[in-house]
Amino acid sequence: MKKEDTVKLISAEGFEFVIDKKAAMVSQTIRNMLTSPGSFAETEHGEVTFPEISTTILEKICQYFYWSLQYASCNVELLGLADCQHEH
Amino acid sequence: MSSGQKKRNFQIEAFKHKVVVDPKYAEKTWKILEHAIHEIYNHNASGLSFEELYRNAYNMVLHKFGEKLYSGLVSTMTFHLQTMSKCIEDAHGGSFLEELNIKWSDHNKALQMIRDILMYMDRTFIPSTHKTPVHELGLNLWRDNRADEKHNQNANGFGTFVYQEDFEKPFLEVSADFYRAESQEFIECSDCGDYLKKAERRLNEEIERVSQYLDAKKVKQR
C-alpha cells in the first residue's frame, strides 16, 4: 500500500490503524475532513485521532469500512436481501 | 415496571461523553468553536483539529445548545464579513476588483470549512428548526454585506467603466455580426413580406431582451 493512498486512524488508547483512503472515505465525516479545502491538522499529516473512540470500537469501524466497500456495488438480490429492502 | 421512578438518560453514542454538569459547558465549547472560526478566516487553520471541532459542535447540538451555536455562528461570520468589506472599500481602481475577488474566494473557502465542521448541526438541528443551512447562510450574509451603501458607491463608478469597455463593446459587435449574417440568410431565402415579418419579430425580441438586462440608456441606443 502506497503511503499516499492510506490514512492513519488513532484510537483513544493510541492504537494506530492504517487503512486505505478509499475505505476511510466510506464515512462522510472523514471524507469531508480529508477533502476539506482548508488545511486542517489532519490533512497535513494524514492522521486522524479519535480521543473518544476506544480501540475495539475503532477496529470494528475499520472492518465495517472494508465490508462496505466490498459489498457496495453488489447486487442486492444476490445477497438475498431484496425482501428486506422492500420492507423499508 | 418501575420505569416512572428512575430518571432515564438515553445516550446513543457508545463512547463516554462529557456529562453536562458544568453550567458553563456551552459557553466553553462555543468559545473553542468561535476561536476556530476566527483562525479559519485568518488563514490559520493548520493548527486546528477537524476531529476536535466536529466533536465539539456535535456535543453542543446533542446537548441542546444548537441555538447558541447557530446564533454565535451568524454573529461571528457577520463580524468577519464586515472586516473584509472594510478592506475592499479601502482598495481603489484596478485593485478593487482584485481585492473583491480575493475576499470572495477567501469567504467561500472559509464557508466550506465551517460547513464541514458544523455538518452535524446542518443535518439535524437545522431541518428541525427550519433555519438556513450553513452554506446558504454564508452566501446570504455576503450578499447582505454587498448591499451596503458605502461599498456600492465605490463599485458604481468603477463598474460603469468596466461595463462599457469590457462587456458592452464586444457584446454590441458580436450582436451586430450575428444579425448581419442572419439578415443575409433571410434575404436569400424569403420573399419581401416574409423578410419584413422576420425582421420585425427579431426587433421586438431584441427590445424586450435588452430592456431586461442591459443599462437603461443603452436601450435607446440599440
Side-chain angles (χ1 to χ4, degrees):
Chain A
M1 278 198 305
K2 281 205 282 245
K3 175 99 192 336
E4 303 80 59
D5 301 331
T6 63
V7 67
K8 196 190 282 190
L9 306 184
I10 306 175
S11 74
E13 287 92 10
F15 265 80
E16 302 179 350
F17 295 89
V18 179
I19 59 174
D20 289 296
K21 264 208 186 127
K22 246 177 84 180
M25 306 271 227
V26 169
S27 155
Q28 273 304 319
T29 309
I30 295 184
R31 165 173 295 196
N32 285 342
M33 197 188 290
L34 296 174
T35 55
S36 193
S39 51
F40 285 105
E42 284 88 356
T43 41
E44 301 269 288
H45 305 116
E47 288 180 10
V48 189
T49 316
F50 294 101
E52 300 204 347
I53 302 184
S54 72
T55 310
T56 34
I57 304 281
L58 194 52
E59 186 185 27
K60 260 305 155 225
I61 292 173
C62 292
Q63 287 172 353
Y64 169 75
F65 287 156
Y66 280 99
W67 178 90
S68 180
L69 275 189
Q70 194 179 357
Y71 292 104
S73 48
C74 205
N75 193 335
V76 168
E77 280 168 14
L78 277 183
L79 293 175
L81 293 177
D83 294 332
C84 303
Q85 292 278 58
H86 289 315
E87 271 162 33
H88 285 298
Chain B
M1 281 241 290
S2 58
S3 55
Q5 291 163 350
K6 264 206 310 206
K7 193 163 146 215
R8 274 139 161 257
N9 224 351
F10 282 102
Q11 297 302 348
I12 301 170
E13 335 90 295
F15 52 85
K16 270 197 312 191
H17 66 285
K18 294 196 235 306
V19 178
V20 190
V21 190
D22 187 357
K24 299 219 213 75
Y25 174 75
E27 191 57 44
K28 278 202 283 194
T29 316
W30 165 243
K31 279 283 166 239
I32 297 174
L33 287 166
E34 190 185 16
H35 170 79
I37 297 179
H38 284 314
E39 293 293 278
I40 288 174
Y41 270 105
N42 292 333
H43 309 109
N44 217 8
S46 52
L48 303 172
S49 161
F50 184 103
E51 190 273 333
E52 185 193 342
L53 300 172
Y54 184 87
R55 186 169 23 105
N56 277 312
Y58 170 80
N59 282 329
M60 270 190 91
V61 176
L62 197 66
H63 295 117
K64 312 269 187 277
F65 292 118
E67 188 63 53
K68 182 174 171 63
L69 178 58
Y70 192 82
S71 50
L73 172 71
V74 173
S75 53
T76 314
M77 274 179 72
T78 315
F79 167 74
H80 276 284
L81 285 175
Q82 282 167 352
T83 320
M84 279 181 165
S85 52
K86 189 98 215 332
C87 286
I88 297 173
E89 261 169 52
D90 292 338
H92 293 294
S95 65
F96 169 75
L97 277 186
E98 235 180 82
E99 194 60 33
L100 183 62
N101 203 16
I102 293 174
K103 291 300 177 215
W104 168 244
S105 47
D106 278 352
H107 172 67
N108 268 335
K109 188 168 155 195
L111 184 58
Q112 214 177 327
M113 289 167 80
I114 292 171
R115 196 218 40 208
D116 285 343
I117 51 181
L118 299 184
M119 183 64 78
Y120 185 73
M121 179 184 81
D122 236 4
R123 288 211 193 127
T124 54
F125 177 73
I126 278 173
S128 62
T129 53
H130 305 293
K131 295 215 205 274
T132 351
V134 177
H135 188 72
E136 217 183 296
L137 174 69
L139 297 179
N140 289 345
L141 288 179
W142 172 270
R143 183 201 57 202
D144 295 339
N145 211 260
R146 284 308 115 238
D148 194 14
E149 264 310 308
K150 284 183 289 185
H151 166 82
N152 269 341
Q153 283 164 14
N154 204 341
N156 270 334
F158 185 66
T160 31
F161 177 70
V162 175
Y163 169 76
Q164 266 175 339
E165 287 300 308
D166 294 332
F167 169 69
E168 203 186 42
K169 269 204 203 131
F171 178 68
L172 290 176
E173 274 169 30
V174 170
S175 314
D177 286 340
F178 171 74
Y179 282 122
R180 205 172 301 130
E182 199 189 46
S183 59
Q184 202 53 26
E185 229 184 276
F186 281 169
I187 287 178
E188 279 169 23
C189 51
S190 343
D191 62 26
C192 184
D194 250 351
Y195 174 75
L196 286 178
K197 275 200 207 118
K198 283 184 181 163
E200 191 184 29
R201 200 182 59 200
R202 271 301 188 197
L203 203 56
N204 288 333
E205 276 174 15
E206 265 308 304
I207 292 175
E208 209 198 301
R209 200 177 302 141
V210 156
S211 63
Q212 273 179 14
Y213 63 65
L214 286 190
D215 215 8
K217 55 184 188 325
K218 293 300 160 190
V219 174
K220 292 213 295 238
Q221 258 188 22
R222 306 231 342 124

